[in-house]
Amino acid sequence: AQRVTQPEKLLSVFKGAPVELKCNYSYSGSPELFWYVQYSRQRLQLLLRHISRESIKGFTADLNKGETSFHLKKPFAQEEDSAMYYCALSVNTDKLIFGTGTRLQVFP
Amino acid sequence: DTGVSQDPRHKITKRGQNVTFRCDPISEHNRLYWYRQTLGQGPEFLTYFQNEAQLEKSRLLSDRFSAERPKGSFSTLEIQRTEQGDSAMYLCASSLLAPGGDFGPGTRLTVT
């Protein structure tokens, strides 16, 4: 079955600390993975997708097919990074399957 | 075009009533998705359209739910005989050919 697991509901760090938001997936096909972010009182926004291999707002994510993971990383967290982060898996290029999300809190 | 829009933003209804939500996608996007999100969960896929054709429906979408996209532009999602378990945020997203597109602000439904 297709599944996305985000094991942490909440991750708290201090400003300037490294951040790693974990995402593991289960899918027998060729995965396409995304990270979405939702800031307070705003809509879901696409942060990055693995096929683009880009860095947005200092965040990167590498697809590890051996570990079936797509962890989101940032070397130095900023207070404005505080938000809800969702990992999502594209199935058959038709729809997204989301994880339950991780709330990132960055303290000053 | 300021992105995906949804109307209404909030809806409170009594159990047993019918409700209809509207989604206006980004104009050049041919795919339109509906998702549902409950507290503490990520969005769950409900259905999607490519142009006016409804290509997939989730098992979550009971017979009380129906979605349309009559001219390949805006879409409506109707819930008949609402139940308290239907209370959720209903999200619309649009994209060009592939998932991972733009989301709307959502319609929050409360069934009392």
Side-chain angles (χ1 to χ4, degrees), chain B residues 25-39:
Chain B
I26 292 172
S27 56
E28 62 267 26
H29 285 179
N30 61 348
R31 284 200 176 188
L32 188 150
Y33 300 82
W34 286 99
Y35 292 85
R36 181 172 67 187
Q37 186 174 21
T38 53
L39 199 61

Side-chain angles (χ1 to χ4, degrees), chain A residues 75-94:
Chain A
F76 307 103
Q78 303 298 314
E79 288 179 69
E80 55 265 31
D81 296 329
S82 295
M84 196 74 185
Y85 291 81
Y86 294 95
C87 182
L89 167 70
S90 170
V91 175
N92 298 326
T93 70
D94 286 341

